[in-house]
Amino acid sequence: MKRVFYLTAVLSAVLYNAPSYAQQVSDSLLPQATLQACIQYALTHQPVVKQAKLDEDITEYTIKGKLADWYPQIGVDYSLNHYLKIPTSYFNGNYVQLGVENNSAALFQWNQNLFTRDLLLAGRTARDVRKQAKQNTESYRIDVVANVTKAYYGMLLTERQIDVLDEDVVRLERSLKDAYNQYQGGIVDKTDYKRATISLNNTRAQRKTAAEQLKASEAQLRQLMGYPVNGPLPLVYDTVQMVQNIQLDTTVTVTYNNRVEMQLLETQKTLLDAQLKYNKWSFIPTVSAFANYNFNYLNPEFSKLYNNNVPSSQVGLKVSLPIFQGSKRIYNIRQAELQIKRNDLDIENLRNQINTEYTQAMATYKGNLNQFYVMKENVDLAQEVYTLIEMQYREGVKTYLEVITAQTDLRSAQLNYYNAMYTVLSSKVDLQRSLGTISTNNY
């Protein structure tokens, strides 16, 4: 009876906690690792993206901290003093002690900035600084999308290579068995099944190498995604859909402003223009209003110090203007002007770089696309040749060496086909990146 009660309690606890456990698993692991799911996961969990979001938050609080100086600044100062020896002053030919042994004061101060160039700069650049932080985050997100996509294709390529090698192992094992049976029957000498053994061993070795490479590819994908090391990562993909996604409009031309790098430089130029104005404002006075109220307590006896208050208060307007600073302000203006010119050269250099990247990416994509179509045709031809030669070999028309050659050609054609497919998909990513058309809003 106790055993039944114990099992019931355990089952109840498991069922009660199952939803929260399932939620934790779904939050940290992917049940189906499609390309889109991997990218979405990376954009949420990749430490670089998280750091960029934290940088945005830091920037926001920095802006608020600077703009807070527009609000009234209120403070209080308190002091308590006891003279061990009262200060002495010379007055009308006599030395006179001035003051009392004990004094205390409390000063309440209010200050309102009316015009300062620091606050003007903070107010006018706040929007652009926020924009720059968001553009930095977008730059990281684009890198994550591109890198995860290429790593995903790389892992798929290795998996497909393993599949091809597994199929080849099955064919070679069957051929080895047929060749050995023919040798046992005295139809052929041992050369055929020895050759079959050599080919089988070579394919198994390639398969082992590919399996080890798959571990490395998976580790890279996990790292780029920010995915747990020990969690399962079951890739789910549709080869037919991938083949359909290979095509890209090759007549499109590059638009520089689509690149987030160009957007960052344009924002940087706006901030540099604001910095130039800031330096020019150094010739304008700083203006602030103030008010204070001072409580003063004086008494020779410490116990009666706070019996009498002799207050004072004042309000005023403060204007501050540096007259000469060794031409520092002029030098700062010249420096800001040169920084703007340098930024213009950065923009010009980036345009040239983007144009080169686009030209190279387009040429690579077109070459890989043509290679893919050629390899696709070769697979069909190699499969047809292998089927025909194997049939002729069974009928005694072809030699076993020709069968081995046809098998090798078929395996090479299949491997080359998948390599060409994933290569052209990766080059498409590079082309989209050079065009600035990779969007992270879809994830």
Side-chain angles (χ1 to χ4, degrees):
M1 184 66 181
K2 291 182 179 180
R3 181 182 181 89
V4 173
F5 175 78
Y6 174 76
L7 290 175
T8 303
V10 170
L11 288 173
S12 299
V14 170
L15 291 174
Y16 179 80
N17 293 320
S20 60
Y21 175 77
Q23 181 66 32
Q24 292 176 355
V25 172
S26 63
D27 288 343
S28 60
L29 300 176
L30 293 176
Q32 290 186 333
T34 62
L35 175 58
Q36 180 142 351
C38 288
I39 293 175
Q40 288 175 337
Y41 189 97
L43 292 176
T44 304
H45 296 84
Q46 171 56 243
V48 173
V49 177
K50 289 183 176 180
Q51 288 175 334
K53 294 297 292 182
L54 288 176
D55 289 340
E56 280 192 54
D57 295 336
I58 292 171
T59 300
E60 182 62 29
Y61 285 116
T62 301
I63 292 172
K64 290 180 177 179
K66 291 183 178 297
L67 294 179
D69 288 337
W70 277 120
Y71 293 98
Q73 308 297 304
I74 301 174
V76 61
D77 292 327
Y78 170 80
S79 64
L80 175 64
N81 302 299
H82 171 73
Y83 284 110
L84 298 177
K85 187 174 183 179
I86 298 175
T88 301
S89 180
Y90 187 78
F91 183 73
N92 289 334
N94 298 308
Y95 291 96
V96 180
Q97 288 186 332
L98 298 177
V100 294
E101 293 181 351
N102 303 297
N103 65 76
S104 179
L107 175 64
F108 289 89
Q109 301 178 85
W110 172 88
N111 187 79
Q112 174 63 61
N113 289 310
L114 301 179
F115 178 86
T116 68
R117 62 187 187 122
D118 291 333
L119 289 178
L120 283 178
L121 178 67
R124 294 192 178 190
T125 61
R127 184 184 65 178
D128 292 313
V129 171
R130 291 188 182 99
K131 182 179 178 181
Q132 186 182 53
K134 291 184 181 298
Q135 288 171 341
N136 278 323
T137 301
E138 182 65 13
S139 178
Y140 285 119
R141 286 169 62 86
I142 290 173
D143 289 341
V144 167
V145 171
N147 293 334
V148 168
T149 301
K150 295 174 72 173
Y152 186 90
Y153 289 149
M155 185 174 171
L156 282 186
L157 171 60
T158 307
E159 284 190 350
R160 296 304 294 154
Q161 288 174 339
I162 291 175
D163 292 340
V164 170
L165 293 172
D166 285 338
E167 293 173 3
D168 197 44
V169 166
V170 173
R171 285 195 299 266
L172 288 171
E173 287 176 343
R174 185 173 63 246
S175 297
L176 174 60
K177 183 177 180 181
D178 293 341
Y180 184 77
N181 290 335
Q182 289 182 352
Y183 167 69
Q184 291 292 331
I187 301 175
V188 297
D189 58 21
K190 62 181 179 179
T191 304
D192 286 351
Y193 86 83
K194 291 292 185 182
R195 284 174 174 165
T197 302
I198 293 172
S199 296
L200 180 59
N201 290 340
N202 289 337
T203 303
R204 284 174 174 169
Q206 288 181 331
R207 204 286 184 190
K208 176 64 175 176
T209 301
E212 295 300 325
Q213 181 60 40
L214 180 62
K215 296 178 182 178
S217 299
E218 182 176 344
Q220 182 186 19
L221 180 58
R222 288 175 183 270
Q223 184 248 325
L224 292 172
M225 292 173 57
Y227 200 78
V229 176
N230 299 323
L233 186 61
L235 298 192
V236 179
Y237 56 94
D238 185 351
T239 304
V240 176
Q241 184 64 38
M242 286 185 178
V243 173
Q244 294 175 352
N245 291 337
I246 283 177
Q247 289 289 350
L248 184 67
D249 185 9
T250 56
T251 61
V252 64
T253 57
V254 62
T255 302
Y256 300 116
N257 288 334
N258 285 344
R259 290 284 294 266
V260 67
E261 296 92 337
M262 183 63 71
Q263 297 169 12
L264 278 166
L265 282 179
E266 293 291 349
T267 304
Q268 180 66 20
K269 183 178 180 179
T270 303
L271 293 175
L272 289 174
D273 288 336
Q275 183 68 29
L276 176 60
K277 292 180 181 178
Y278 170 78
N279 288 316
K280 290 181 178 179
W281 291 336
S282 62
F283 291 95
I284 302 176
T286 298
V287 182
S288 62
F290 67 90
N292 59 55
Y293 190 92
N294 193 11
F295 295 87
N296 291 302
Y297 298 93
L298 306 169
N299 202 297
E301 299 182 28
F302 185 78
S303 60
K304 300 179 180 180
L305 175 61
Y306 293 102
N307 288 349
N308 296 315
N309 176 28
V310 185
S312 64
S313 64
Q314 62 178 335
V315 295
L317 187 70
K318 181 179 179 181
V319 180
S320 176
L321 176 64
I323 296 176
F324 180 71
Q325 296 180 322
S327 300
K328 177 180 179 181
R329 289 173 287 184
I330 296 176
Y331 298 149
N332 288 338
I333 291 173
R334 297 291 181 267
Q335 179 184 354
E337 290 173 343
L338 292 176
Q339 287 175 336
I340 292 174
K341 291 182 179 180
R342 193 181 190 284
N343 189 81
D344 291 337
L345 292 176
D346 286 337
I347 293 175
E348 180 182 349
N349 182 60
L350 181 59
R351 285 197 184 100
N352 296 332
Q353 179 182 336
I354 291 174
N355 186 67
T356 301
E357 289 179 2
Y358 163 74
T359 304
Q360 292 176 342
M362 181 63 77
T364 302
Y365 171 75
K366 288 182 177 179
N368 290 336
L369 183 61
N370 180 70
Q371 183 76 4
F372 168 74
Y373 288 129
V374 172
M375 293 301 102
K376 185 177 181 181
E377 182 180 1
N378 284 350
V379 170
D380 297 334
L381 293 174
Q383 182 65 56
E384 183 180 349
V385 169
Y386 169 72
T387 302
L388 181 60
I389 290 180
E390 185 183 37
M391 185 183 303
Q392 291 176 338
Y393 170 74
R394 293 181 181 278
E395 295 175 355
V397 177
K398 297 291 186 178
T399 64
Y400 188 72
L401 179 59
E402 292 177 287
V403 175
I404 293 295
T405 301
Q407 287 178 332
T408 303
D409 290 342
L410 177 59
R411 180 181 70 242
S412 298
Q414 291 173 328
L415 292 175
N416 290 337
Y417 167 73
Y418 287 115
N419 184 68
M421 182 173 70
Y422 292 114
T423 299
V424 73
L425 285 170
S426 294
S427 62
K428 179 185 175 182
V429 174
D430 292 333
L431 179 56
Q432 290 175 317
R433 192 172 187 173
S434 68
L435 289 168
T437 56
I438 294 180
S439 175
T440 63
N441 296 327
N442 299 327
Y443 302 102

